[in-house]
Amino acid sequence: IKELAKIVSSQNIKLAIITVPGFAAQEVAEKLVEAGVKAILSYAPVKLFVGDDVRVEYIDPIARLQYLSYYLT
């Protein structure tokens, strides 16, 4: 995370995926936004508060696995 802003800025990264525990997600999202990210796909089980100019989509991996497992029976 120490190099996050430098890497995001230097590579002109605009989209990120957050796969951290809920307690860390807001901090990571804030660092990403500060570095210039404009879209976040979050697997964290919490609502993220970012600026209006940043798009956030949420994925619940447990729900998706349950959905997929239905077709295995």
Short mmCIF file of all heavy atoms in Angstrom, two decimals:
data_model
loop_
_atom_site.label_atom_id
_atom_site.label_comp_id
_atom_site.label_asym_id
_atom_site.label_seq_id
_atom_site.Cartn_x
_atom_site.Cartn_y
_atom_site.Cartn_z
N ILE A 1 0.83 -1.20 0.00
CA ILE A 1 0.00 0.00 0.00
C ILE A 1 0.87 1.26 0.00
O ILE A 1 0.42 2.31 -0.41
CB ILE A 1 -0.99 -0.04 1.18
CG1 ILE A 1 -2.12 0.94 0.94
CG2 ILE A 1 -0.34 0.28 2.49
CD1 ILE A 1 -3.46 0.39 0.96
N LYS A 2 2.10 1.11 0.41
CA LYS A 2 3.02 2.25 0.43
C LYS A 2 3.25 2.81 -0.97
O LYS A 2 3.40 4.01 -1.15
CB LYS A 2 4.37 1.85 1.03
CG LYS A 2 4.31 1.55 2.49
CD LYS A 2 5.68 1.11 2.98
CE LYS A 2 5.62 0.67 4.41
NZ LYS A 2 6.91 0.17 4.90
N GLU A 3 3.29 1.94 -1.96
CA GLU A 3 3.57 2.33 -3.34
C GLU A 3 2.30 2.56 -4.17
O GLU A 3 2.39 2.87 -5.35
CB GLU A 3 4.42 1.25 -4.01
CG GLU A 3 5.73 0.98 -3.32
CD GLU A 3 6.71 2.12 -3.48
OE1 GLU A 3 6.77 2.69 -4.58
OE2 GLU A 3 7.42 2.43 -2.51
N LEU A 4 1.14 2.40 -3.56
CA LEU A 4 -0.12 2.44 -4.29
C LEU A 4 -0.29 3.72 -5.12
O LEU A 4 -0.52 3.65 -6.33
CB LEU A 4 -1.30 2.27 -3.33
CG LEU A 4 -2.68 2.29 -3.97
CD1 LEU A 4 -2.92 1.01 -4.75
CD2 LEU A 4 -3.75 2.47 -2.92
N ALA A 5 -0.19 4.86 -4.50
CA ALA A 5 -0.42 6.13 -5.21
C ALA A 5 0.57 6.30 -6.35
O ALA A 5 0.19 6.74 -7.44
CB ALA A 5 -0.33 7.30 -4.23
N LYS A 6 1.82 5.96 -6.11
CA LYS A 6 2.84 6.11 -7.14
C LYS A 6 2.55 5.22 -8.35
O LYS A 6 2.61 5.66 -9.49
CB LYS A 6 4.21 5.76 -6.55
CG LYS A 6 5.36 6.02 -7.49
CD LYS A 6 6.66 5.85 -6.73
CE LYS A 6 7.41 4.67 -7.31
NZ LYS A 6 8.72 4.46 -6.69
N ILE A 7 2.19 3.97 -8.10
CA ILE A 7 1.91 3.02 -9.18
C ILE A 7 0.65 3.41 -9.94
O ILE A 7 0.64 3.44 -11.17
CB ILE A 7 1.81 1.59 -8.63
CG1 ILE A 7 3.17 1.14 -8.11
CG2 ILE A 7 1.28 0.64 -9.70
CD1 ILE A 7 3.13 -0.14 -7.30
N VAL A 8 -0.42 3.72 -9.22
CA VAL A 8 -1.68 4.10 -9.86
C VAL A 8 -1.49 5.32 -10.74
O VAL A 8 -1.94 5.36 -11.89
CB VAL A 8 -2.79 4.33 -8.81
CG1 VAL A 8 -4.02 4.97 -9.42
CG2 VAL A 8 -3.17 3.02 -8.14
N SER A 9 -0.80 6.31 -10.22
CA SER A 9 -0.57 7.55 -10.98
C SER A 9 0.33 7.31 -12.18
O SER A 9 0.02 7.74 -13.30
CB SER A 9 0.04 8.62 -10.08
OG SER A 9 -0.85 8.98 -9.08
N SER A 10 1.42 6.63 -11.98
CA SER A 10 2.38 6.44 -13.07
C SER A 10 1.84 5.57 -14.20
O SER A 10 2.21 5.73 -15.35
CB SER A 10 3.69 5.86 -12.55
OG SER A 10 3.53 4.52 -12.13
N GLN A 11 0.95 4.64 -13.87
CA GLN A 11 0.37 3.76 -14.88
C GLN A 11 -0.98 4.25 -15.41
O GLN A 11 -1.62 3.58 -16.21
CB GLN A 11 0.19 2.35 -14.29
CG GLN A 11 1.48 1.69 -13.87
CD GLN A 11 2.39 1.43 -15.05
OE1 GLN A 11 1.97 0.96 -16.09
NE2 GLN A 11 3.67 1.77 -14.89
N ASN A 12 -1.42 5.41 -14.90
CA ASN A 12 -2.71 6.00 -15.31
C ASN A 12 -3.87 5.01 -15.12
O ASN A 12 -4.73 4.87 -15.98
CB ASN A 12 -2.65 6.49 -16.75
CG ASN A 12 -3.77 7.45 -17.07
OD1 ASN A 12 -4.26 8.16 -16.19
ND2 ASN A 12 -4.20 7.47 -18.31
N ILE A 13 -3.87 4.34 -13.99
CA ILE A 13 -4.90 3.35 -13.67
C ILE A 13 -6.18 4.08 -13.25
O ILE A 13 -6.14 4.95 -12.38
CB ILE A 13 -4.41 2.40 -12.56
CG1 ILE A 13 -3.21 1.59 -13.09
CG2 ILE A 13 -5.54 1.49 -12.07
CD1 ILE A 13 -2.48 0.80 -12.03
N LYS A 14 -7.29 3.70 -13.85
CA LYS A 14 -8.58 4.35 -13.55
C LYS A 14 -9.60 3.40 -12.94
O LYS A 14 -10.63 3.83 -12.45
CB LYS A 14 -9.17 4.96 -14.84
CG LYS A 14 -8.29 6.04 -15.44
CD LYS A 14 -8.15 7.20 -14.50
CE LYS A 14 -7.25 8.27 -15.09
NZ LYS A 14 -6.78 9.22 -14.09
N LEU A 15 -9.33 2.10 -12.99
CA LEU A 15 -10.25 1.10 -12.47
C LEU A 15 -9.50 0.18 -11.50
O LEU A 15 -8.38 -0.22 -11.80
CB LEU A 15 -10.83 0.27 -13.62
CG LEU A 15 -11.81 -0.80 -13.18
CD1 LEU A 15 -13.14 -0.57 -13.86
CD2 LEU A 15 -11.26 -2.15 -13.51
N ALA A 16 -10.14 -0.13 -10.36
CA ALA A 16 -9.49 -0.99 -9.38
C ALA A 16 -10.50 -1.98 -8.80
O ALA A 16 -11.71 -1.73 -8.81
CB ALA A 16 -8.89 -0.15 -8.25
N ILE A 17 -9.98 -3.07 -8.30
CA ILE A 17 -10.78 -4.09 -7.62
C ILE A 17 -10.30 -4.15 -6.18
O ILE A 17 -9.11 -4.30 -5.93
CB ILE A 17 -10.63 -5.46 -8.29
CG1 ILE A 17 -11.08 -5.40 -9.74
CG2 ILE A 17 -11.42 -6.52 -7.51
CD1 ILE A 17 -10.82 -6.66 -10.53
N ILE A 18 -11.25 -4.03 -5.25
CA ILE A 18 -10.92 -4.12 -3.83
C ILE A 18 -11.34 -5.48 -3.32
O ILE A 18 -12.52 -5.85 -3.41
CB ILE A 18 -11.63 -3.01 -3.03
CG1 ILE A 18 -11.08 -1.65 -3.42
CG2 ILE A 18 -11.48 -3.25 -1.53
CD1 ILE A 18 -11.73 -0.50 -2.69
N THR A 19 -10.38 -6.22 -2.77
CA THR A 19 -10.65 -7.54 -2.21
C THR A 19 -10.00 -7.64 -0.83
O THR A 19 -9.20 -8.53 -0.57
CB THR A 19 -10.12 -8.66 -3.12
OG1 THR A 19 -8.71 -8.49 -3.29
CG2 THR A 19 -10.81 -8.67 -4.46
N VAL A 20 -10.35 -6.70 0.02
CA VAL A 20 -9.79 -6.65 1.37
C VAL A 20 -10.92 -6.85 2.38
O VAL A 20 -12.09 -6.71 2.04
CB VAL A 20 -9.07 -5.30 1.64
CG1 VAL A 20 -7.90 -5.11 0.69
CG2 VAL A 20 -10.04 -4.13 1.53
N PRO A 21 -10.58 -7.15 3.64
CA PRO A 21 -11.63 -7.26 4.65
C PRO A 21 -12.38 -5.93 4.80
O PRO A 21 -11.82 -4.85 4.50
CB PRO A 21 -10.86 -7.58 5.93
CG PRO A 21 -9.55 -8.12 5.48
CD PRO A 21 -9.26 -7.46 4.16
N GLY A 22 -13.60 -6.01 5.26
CA GLY A 22 -14.44 -4.83 5.39
C GLY A 22 -13.81 -3.69 6.17
O GLY A 22 -13.94 -2.53 5.78
N PHE A 23 -13.09 -4.01 7.23
CA PHE A 23 -12.52 -2.95 8.07
C PHE A 23 -11.45 -2.14 7.34
O PHE A 23 -11.16 -1.01 7.72
CB PHE A 23 -11.94 -3.53 9.37
CG PHE A 23 -10.71 -4.37 9.19
CD1 PHE A 23 -9.45 -3.79 9.13
CD2 PHE A 23 -10.81 -5.75 9.08
CE1 PHE A 23 -8.32 -4.57 8.96
CE2 PHE A 23 -9.68 -6.54 8.91
CZ PHE A 23 -8.43 -5.94 8.85
N ALA A 24 -10.88 -2.67 6.27
CA ALA A 24 -9.82 -1.98 5.54
C ALA A 24 -10.31 -1.34 4.24
O ALA A 24 -9.59 -0.55 3.63
CB ALA A 24 -8.69 -2.95 5.23
N ALA A 25 -11.51 -1.66 3.81
CA ALA A 25 -11.98 -1.26 2.48
C ALA A 25 -12.08 0.25 2.30
O ALA A 25 -11.68 0.77 1.25
CB ALA A 25 -13.32 -1.92 2.19
N GLN A 26 -12.60 0.96 3.27
CA GLN A 26 -12.76 2.41 3.11
C GLN A 26 -11.41 3.10 2.95
O GLN A 26 -11.24 3.95 2.09
CB GLN A 26 -13.53 3.01 4.30
CG GLN A 26 -13.83 4.49 4.15
CD GLN A 26 -14.73 4.80 2.97
OE1 GLN A 26 -15.75 4.16 2.75
NE2 GLN A 26 -14.37 5.82 2.20
N GLU A 27 -10.45 2.72 3.76
CA GLU A 27 -9.12 3.31 3.67
C GLU A 27 -8.49 3.04 2.30
O GLU A 27 -7.92 3.94 1.68
CB GLU A 27 -8.21 2.78 4.77
CG GLU A 27 -6.81 3.35 4.71
CD GLU A 27 -5.87 2.77 5.75
OE1 GLU A 27 -6.30 1.94 6.58
OE2 GLU A 27 -4.69 3.16 5.73
N VAL A 28 -8.60 1.82 1.83
CA VAL A 28 -8.05 1.46 0.52
C VAL A 28 -8.76 2.25 -0.58
O VAL A 28 -8.12 2.79 -1.48
CB VAL A 28 -8.15 -0.06 0.28
CG1 VAL A 28 -7.76 -0.41 -1.15
CG2 VAL A 28 -7.27 -0.80 1.27
N ALA A 29 -10.08 2.34 -0.50
CA ALA A 29 -10.84 3.09 -1.50
C ALA A 29 -10.41 4.55 -1.52
O ALA A 29 -10.22 5.13 -2.60
CB ALA A 29 -12.33 2.99 -1.21
N GLU A 30 -10.23 5.15 -0.37
CA GLU A 30 -9.80 6.55 -0.30
C GLU A 30 -8.43 6.74 -0.95
O GLU A 30 -8.22 7.70 -1.68
CB GLU A 30 -9.79 7.03 1.15
CG GLU A 30 -11.18 7.18 1.72
CD GLU A 30 -11.20 7.41 3.23
OE1 GLU A 30 -10.12 7.55 3.84
OE2 GLU A 30 -12.31 7.46 3.80
N LYS A 31 -7.52 5.83 -0.68
CA LYS A 31 -6.18 5.92 -1.27
C LYS A 31 -6.24 5.77 -2.79
O LYS A 31 -5.54 6.46 -3.53
CB LYS A 31 -5.25 4.90 -0.64
CG LYS A 31 -4.90 5.22 0.80
CD LYS A 31 -3.89 4.26 1.34
CE LYS A 31 -3.57 4.51 2.79
NZ LYS A 31 -3.07 5.84 3.09
N LEU A 32 -7.09 4.87 -3.27
CA LEU A 32 -7.25 4.68 -4.71
C LEU A 32 -7.81 5.94 -5.37
O LEU A 32 -7.32 6.38 -6.41
CB LEU A 32 -8.16 3.48 -4.99
CG LEU A 32 -7.57 2.11 -4.70
CD1 LEU A 32 -8.66 1.05 -4.73
CD2 LEU A 32 -6.47 1.77 -5.70
N VAL A 33 -8.82 6.51 -4.75
CA VAL A 33 -9.45 7.72 -5.31
C VAL A 33 -8.46 8.88 -5.30
O VAL A 33 -8.35 9.63 -6.28
CB VAL A 33 -10.74 8.06 -4.54
CG1 VAL A 33 -11.28 9.42 -4.95
CG2 VAL A 33 -11.79 6.98 -4.76
N GLU A 34 -7.72 9.03 -4.22
CA GLU A 34 -6.70 10.09 -4.15
C GLU A 34 -5.67 9.94 -5.27
O GLU A 34 -5.14 10.93 -5.77
CB GLU A 34 -6.00 10.07 -2.80
CG GLU A 34 -6.84 10.56 -1.65
CD GLU A 34 -6.18 10.34 -0.30
OE1 GLU A 34 -4.98 9.97 -0.24
OE2 GLU A 34 -6.87 10.52 0.72
N ALA A 35 -5.40 8.70 -5.65
CA ALA A 35 -4.41 8.43 -6.69
C ALA A 35 -4.98 8.59 -8.10
O ALA A 35 -4.24 8.55 -9.07
CB ALA A 35 -3.84 7.03 -6.52
N GLY A 36 -6.30 8.74 -8.22
CA GLY A 36 -6.89 8.98 -9.53
C GLY A 36 -7.84 7.92 -10.05
O GLY A 36 -8.35 8.04 -11.17
N VAL A 37 -8.11 6.89 -9.28
CA VAL A 37 -9.05 5.84 -9.72
C VAL A 37 -10.46 6.42 -9.79
O VAL A 37 -10.88 7.17 -8.92
CB VAL A 37 -8.99 4.63 -8.75
CG1 VAL A 37 -10.15 3.68 -8.97
CG2 VAL A 37 -7.67 3.90 -8.92
N LYS A 38 -11.20 6.07 -10.85
CA LYS A 38 -12.56 6.58 -11.07
C LYS A 38 -13.63 5.51 -11.03
O LYS A 38 -14.82 5.82 -11.06
CB LYS A 38 -12.63 7.29 -12.42
CG LYS A 38 -11.78 8.54 -12.49
CD LYS A 38 -12.29 9.57 -11.53
CE LYS A 38 -11.49 10.86 -11.61
NZ LYS A 38 -11.89 11.81 -10.60
N ALA A 39 -13.23 4.23 -10.95
CA ALA A 39 -14.20 3.13 -10.88
C ALA A 39 -13.62 2.04 -9.99
O ALA A 39 -12.45 1.68 -10.12
CB ALA A 39 -14.50 2.59 -12.26
N ILE A 40 -14.47 1.53 -9.08
CA ILE A 40 -14.03 0.50 -8.14
C ILE A 40 -15.03 -0.65 -8.14
O ILE A 40 -16.23 -0.43 -8.04
CB ILE A 40 -13.93 1.07 -6.71
CG1 ILE A 40 -12.87 2.17 -6.65
CG2 ILE A 40 -13.62 -0.03 -5.70
CD1 ILE A 40 -12.83 2.94 -5.34
N LEU A 41 -14.51 -1.85 -8.26
CA LEU A 41 -15.29 -3.07 -8.09
C LEU A 41 -14.92 -3.61 -6.72
O LEU A 41 -13.75 -3.91 -6.46
CB LEU A 41 -14.96 -4.09 -9.17
CG LEU A 41 -15.69 -5.42 -9.09
CD1 LEU A 41 -17.19 -5.22 -9.25
CD2 LEU A 41 -15.17 -6.36 -10.16
N SER A 42 -15.89 -3.70 -5.82
CA SER A 42 -15.59 -4.05 -4.44
C SER A 42 -16.19 -5.39 -4.04
O SER A 42 -17.39 -5.62 -4.19
CB SER A 42 -16.12 -2.98 -3.49
OG SER A 42 -15.87 -3.35 -2.14
N TYR A 43 -15.34 -6.25 -3.51
CA TYR A 43 -15.78 -7.51 -2.92
C TYR A 43 -15.96 -7.36 -1.41
O TYR A 43 -16.39 -8.29 -0.75
CB TYR A 43 -14.75 -8.61 -3.19
CG TYR A 43 -14.80 -9.19 -4.58
CD1 TYR A 43 -14.24 -8.51 -5.66
CD2 TYR A 43 -15.40 -10.41 -4.82
CE1 TYR A 43 -14.27 -9.05 -6.93
CE2 TYR A 43 -15.44 -10.95 -6.09
CZ TYR A 43 -14.87 -10.26 -7.14
OH TYR A 43 -14.92 -10.79 -8.40
N ALA A 44 -15.60 -6.24 -0.86
CA ALA A 44 -15.70 -6.01 0.58
C ALA A 44 -17.17 -5.90 0.99
O ALA A 44 -17.97 -5.30 0.28
CB ALA A 44 -14.94 -4.76 0.98
N PRO A 45 -17.52 -6.42 2.16
CA PRO A 45 -18.92 -6.44 2.59
C PRO A 45 -19.35 -5.15 3.29
O PRO A 45 -20.07 -5.18 4.28
CB PRO A 45 -18.95 -7.62 3.56
CG PRO A 45 -17.59 -7.60 4.18
CD PRO A 45 -16.66 -7.18 3.06
N VAL A 46 -18.91 -4.00 2.77
CA VAL A 46 -19.27 -2.71 3.35
C VAL A 46 -19.56 -1.71 2.24
O VAL A 46 -19.06 -1.85 1.13
CB VAL A 46 -18.15 -2.14 4.26
CG1 VAL A 46 -17.93 -3.02 5.47
CG2 VAL A 46 -16.86 -1.95 3.49
N LYS A 47 -20.35 -0.69 2.57
CA LYS A 47 -20.61 0.40 1.62
C LYS A 47 -19.42 1.35 1.67
O LYS A 47 -18.94 1.70 2.73
CB LYS A 47 -21.89 1.14 2.00
CG LYS A 47 -22.20 2.29 1.08
CD LYS A 47 -23.58 2.85 1.38
CE LYS A 47 -23.90 4.10 0.61
NZ LYS A 47 -23.60 4.12 -0.79
N LEU A 48 -18.96 1.73 0.49
CA LEU A 48 -17.84 2.66 0.41
C LEU A 48 -18.36 4.07 0.14
O LEU A 48 -19.28 4.27 -0.65
CB LEU A 48 -16.90 2.24 -0.72
CG LEU A 48 -16.28 0.86 -0.58
CD1 LEU A 48 -15.47 0.51 -1.82
CD2 LEU A 48 -15.41 0.79 0.67
N PHE A 49 -17.75 5.03 0.82
CA PHE A 49 -18.12 6.42 0.64
C PHE A 49 -16.99 7.11 -0.12
O PHE A 49 -15.90 7.30 0.40
CB PHE A 49 -18.37 7.09 2.00
CG PHE A 49 -19.53 6.47 2.72
CD1 PHE A 49 -19.34 5.45 3.63
CD2 PHE A 49 -20.82 6.90 2.46
CE1 PHE A 49 -20.41 4.87 4.27
CE2 PHE A 49 -21.90 6.32 3.10
CZ PHE A 49 -21.69 5.30 4.01
N VAL A 50 -17.28 7.42 -1.38
CA VAL A 50 -16.32 8.08 -2.27
C VAL A 50 -17.03 9.26 -2.92
O VAL A 50 -18.23 9.41 -2.78
CB VAL A 50 -15.77 7.11 -3.33
CG1 VAL A 50 -14.97 5.99 -2.68
CG2 VAL A 50 -16.89 6.52 -4.16
N GLY A 51 -16.31 10.06 -3.65
CA GLY A 51 -16.91 11.21 -4.32
C GLY A 51 -17.92 10.81 -5.38
O GLY A 51 -17.93 9.67 -5.87
N ASP A 52 -18.75 11.76 -5.76
CA ASP A 52 -19.77 11.52 -6.78
C ASP A 52 -19.18 11.20 -8.15
O ASP A 52 -19.87 10.66 -9.01
CB ASP A 52 -20.69 12.73 -6.91
CG ASP A 52 -21.56 12.92 -5.67
OD1 ASP A 52 -21.78 11.94 -4.94
OD2 ASP A 52 -22.03 14.06 -5.45
N ASP A 53 -17.92 11.54 -8.35
CA ASP A 53 -17.28 11.30 -9.64
C ASP A 53 -16.62 9.92 -9.73
O ASP A 53 -15.95 9.61 -10.70
CB ASP A 53 -16.26 12.39 -9.95
CG ASP A 53 -15.14 12.44 -8.92
OD1 ASP A 53 -15.37 12.05 -7.75
OD2 ASP A 53 -14.03 12.89 -9.27
N VAL A 54 -16.84 9.09 -8.70
CA VAL A 54 -16.27 7.74 -8.67
C VAL A 54 -17.40 6.73 -8.66
O VAL A 54 -18.32 6.82 -7.84
CB VAL A 54 -15.36 7.53 -7.43
CG1 VAL A 54 -14.81 6.12 -7.41
CG2 VAL A 54 -14.24 8.56 -7.42
N ARG A 55 -17.36 5.78 -9.56
CA ARG A 55 -18.39 4.73 -9.66
C ARG A 55 -17.94 3.52 -8.86
O ARG A 55 -16.81 3.07 -9.00
CB ARG A 55 -18.58 4.36 -11.14
CG ARG A 55 -19.49 3.23 -11.40
CD ARG A 55 -20.91 3.65 -11.23
NE ARG A 55 -21.76 2.50 -11.58
CZ ARG A 55 -23.04 2.54 -11.56
NH1 ARG A 55 -23.66 3.64 -11.24
NH2 ARG A 55 -23.73 1.48 -11.88
N VAL A 56 -18.83 3.00 -8.01
CA VAL A 56 -18.53 1.81 -7.22
C VAL A 56 -19.59 0.75 -7.52
O VAL A 56 -20.78 1.04 -7.52
CB VAL A 56 -18.52 2.10 -5.71
CG1 VAL A 56 -18.25 0.83 -4.91
CG2 VAL A 56 -17.50 3.17 -5.36
N GLU A 57 -19.13 -0.46 -7.79
CA GLU A 57 -20.02 -1.62 -7.96
C GLU A 57 -19.61 -2.64 -6.91
O GLU A 57 -18.42 -2.80 -6.61
CB GLU A 57 -19.88 -2.22 -9.36
CG GLU A 57 -20.45 -1.36 -10.46
CD GLU A 57 -21.97 -1.26 -10.42
OE1 GLU A 57 -22.63 -2.24 -10.01
OE2 GLU A 57 -22.49 -0.20 -10.79
N TYR A 58 -20.59 -3.33 -6.38
CA TYR A 58 -20.35 -4.31 -5.32
C TYR A 58 -20.66 -5.71 -5.81
O TYR A 58 -21.62 -5.91 -6.56
CB TYR A 58 -21.23 -4.00 -4.10
CG TYR A 58 -20.99 -2.63 -3.54
CD1 TYR A 58 -21.75 -1.54 -3.97
CD2 TYR A 58 -20.00 -2.41 -2.60
CE1 TYR A 58 -21.53 -0.27 -3.47
CE2 TYR A 58 -19.77 -1.15 -2.08
CZ TYR A 58 -20.55 -0.08 -2.52
OH TYR A 58 -20.31 1.17 -2.01
N ILE A 59 -19.85 -6.67 -5.37
CA ILE A 59 -20.08 -8.07 -5.68
C ILE A 59 -20.04 -8.85 -4.38
O ILE A 59 -19.12 -8.69 -3.57
CB ILE A 59 -19.01 -8.63 -6.64
CG1 ILE A 59 -19.18 -8.01 -8.02
CG2 ILE A 59 -19.06 -10.14 -6.72
CD1 ILE A 59 -18.21 -8.51 -9.04
N ASP A 60 -21.04 -9.69 -4.18
CA ASP A 60 -21.06 -10.58 -3.02
C ASP A 60 -20.65 -11.96 -3.51
O ASP A 60 -21.45 -12.68 -4.12
CB ASP A 60 -22.46 -10.61 -2.42
CG ASP A 60 -22.56 -11.51 -1.20
OD1 ASP A 60 -21.61 -12.27 -0.92
OD2 ASP A 60 -23.61 -11.46 -0.53
N PRO A 61 -19.40 -12.36 -3.26
CA PRO A 61 -18.94 -13.64 -3.81
C PRO A 61 -19.69 -14.84 -3.26
O PRO A 61 -19.89 -15.82 -3.97
CB PRO A 61 -17.46 -13.68 -3.43
CG PRO A 61 -17.28 -12.67 -2.37
CD PRO A 61 -18.37 -11.66 -2.52
N ILE A 62 -20.16 -14.78 -2.03
CA ILE A 62 -20.91 -15.90 -1.44
C ILE A 62 -22.23 -16.08 -2.20
O ILE A 62 -22.59 -17.21 -2.56
CB ILE A 62 -21.16 -15.68 0.06
CG1 ILE A 62 -19.84 -15.53 0.81
CG2 ILE A 62 -22.01 -16.81 0.63
CD1 ILE A 62 -18.90 -16.71 0.68
N ALA A 63 -22.92 -15.00 -2.45
CA ALA A 63 -24.18 -15.10 -3.19
C ALA A 63 -23.95 -15.65 -4.59
O ALA A 63 -24.74 -16.46 -5.09
CB ALA A 63 -24.85 -13.73 -3.26
N ARG A 64 -22.89 -15.22 -5.24
CA ARG A 64 -22.59 -15.70 -6.59
C ARG A 64 -22.24 -17.19 -6.58
O ARG A 64 -22.63 -17.93 -7.48
CB ARG A 64 -21.46 -14.90 -7.23
CG ARG A 64 -21.69 -13.39 -7.33
CD ARG A 64 -23.02 -12.96 -7.87
NE ARG A 64 -23.36 -13.53 -9.15
CZ ARG A 64 -24.57 -13.49 -9.69
NH1 ARG A 64 -25.57 -12.89 -9.09
NH2 ARG A 64 -24.80 -14.04 -10.85
N LEU A 65 -21.50 -17.64 -5.56
CA LEU A 65 -21.18 -19.06 -5.44
C LEU A 65 -22.44 -19.89 -5.19
O LEU A 65 -22.59 -20.99 -5.75
CB LEU A 65 -20.16 -19.29 -4.33
CG LEU A 65 -18.74 -18.87 -4.66
CD1 LEU A 65 -17.87 -18.93 -3.41
CD2 LEU A 65 -18.15 -19.75 -5.75
N GLN A 66 -23.34 -19.39 -4.37
CA GLN A 66 -24.60 -20.10 -4.12
C GLN A 66 -25.41 -20.20 -5.41
O GLN A 66 -25.99 -21.24 -5.70
CB GLN A 66 -25.41 -19.38 -3.04
CG GLN A 66 -24.83 -19.54 -1.66
CD GLN A 66 -25.57 -18.72 -0.62
OE1 GLN A 66 -26.18 -17.70 -0.93
NE2 GLN A 66 -25.51 -19.17 0.61
N TYR A 67 -25.43 -19.13 -6.16
CA TYR A 67 -26.13 -19.12 -7.44
C TYR A 67 -25.55 -20.17 -8.38
O TYR A 67 -26.27 -20.95 -8.99
CB TYR A 67 -26.04 -17.72 -8.06
CG TYR A 67 -26.62 -17.62 -9.44
CD1 TYR A 67 -27.99 -17.49 -9.63
CD2 TYR A 67 -25.79 -17.63 -10.56
CE1 TYR A 67 -28.52 -17.40 -10.90
CE2 TYR A 67 -26.32 -17.53 -11.83
CZ TYR A 67 -27.68 -17.41 -12.01
OH TYR A 67 -28.21 -17.32 -13.27
N LEU A 68 -24.24 -20.21 -8.49
CA LEU A 68 -23.58 -21.18 -9.35
C LEU A 68 -23.80 -22.61 -8.88
O LEU A 68 -23.97 -23.53 -9.68
CB LEU A 68 -22.10 -20.89 -9.46
CG LEU A 68 -21.70 -19.69 -10.32
CD1 LEU A 68 -20.21 -19.42 -10.18
CD2 LEU A 68 -22.07 -19.92 -11.76
N SER A 69 -23.76 -22.82 -7.57
CA SER A 69 -23.89 -24.18 -7.05
C SER A 69 -25.27 -24.77 -7.32
O SER A 69 -25.42 -25.99 -7.39
CB SER A 69 -23.57 -24.22 -5.56
OG SER A 69 -24.58 -23.56 -4.82
N TYR A 70 -26.27 -23.94 -7.49
CA TYR A 70 -27.61 -24.39 -7.83
C TYR A 70 -27.59 -25.25 -9.09
O TYR A 70 -28.28 -26.25 -9.20
CB TYR A 70 -28.55 -23.20 -8.00
CG TYR A 70 -29.89 -23.57 -8.57
CD1 TYR A 70 -30.88 -24.09 -7.73
CD2 TYR A 70 -30.19 -23.40 -9.92
CE1 TYR A 70 -32.13 -24.42 -8.25
CE2 TYR A 70 -31.40 -23.74 -10.44
CZ TYR A 70 -32.39 -24.25 -9.61
OH TYR A 70 -33.61 -24.60 -10.12
N TYR A 71 -26.77 -24.87 -10.04
CA TYR A 71 -26.72 -25.57 -11.33
C TYR A 71 -25.89 -26.86 -11.27
O TYR A 71 -25.86 -27.60 -12.24
CB TYR A 71 -26.18 -24.63 -12.41
CG TYR A 71 -27.16 -23.52 -12.69
CD1 TYR A 71 -26.96 -22.27 -12.14
CD2 TYR A 71 -28.29 -23.76 -13.45
CE1 TYR A 71 -27.89 -21.24 -12.38
CE2 TYR A 71 -29.22 -22.76 -13.68
CZ TYR A 71 -29.01 -21.50 -13.14
OH TYR A 71 -29.92 -20.52 -13.37
N LEU A 72 -25.25 -27.11 -10.16
CA LEU A 72 -24.47 -28.33 -10.03
C LEU A 72 -25.30 -29.52 -9.55
O LEU A 72 -24.86 -30.65 -9.62
CB LEU A 72 -23.29 -28.12 -9.06
CG LEU A 72 -22.27 -27.08 -9.50
CD1 LEU A 72 -21.21 -26.91 -8.42
CD2 LEU A 72 -21.62 -27.49 -10.82
N THR A 73 -26.50 -29.23 -9.06
CA THR A 73 -27.34 -30.32 -8.54
C THR A 73 -28.28 -30.87 -9.57
O THR A 73 -28.55 -30.31 -10.58
CB THR A 73 -28.15 -29.84 -7.32
OG1 THR A 73 -28.94 -28.73 -7.71
CG2 THR A 73 -27.25 -29.48 -6.18
#
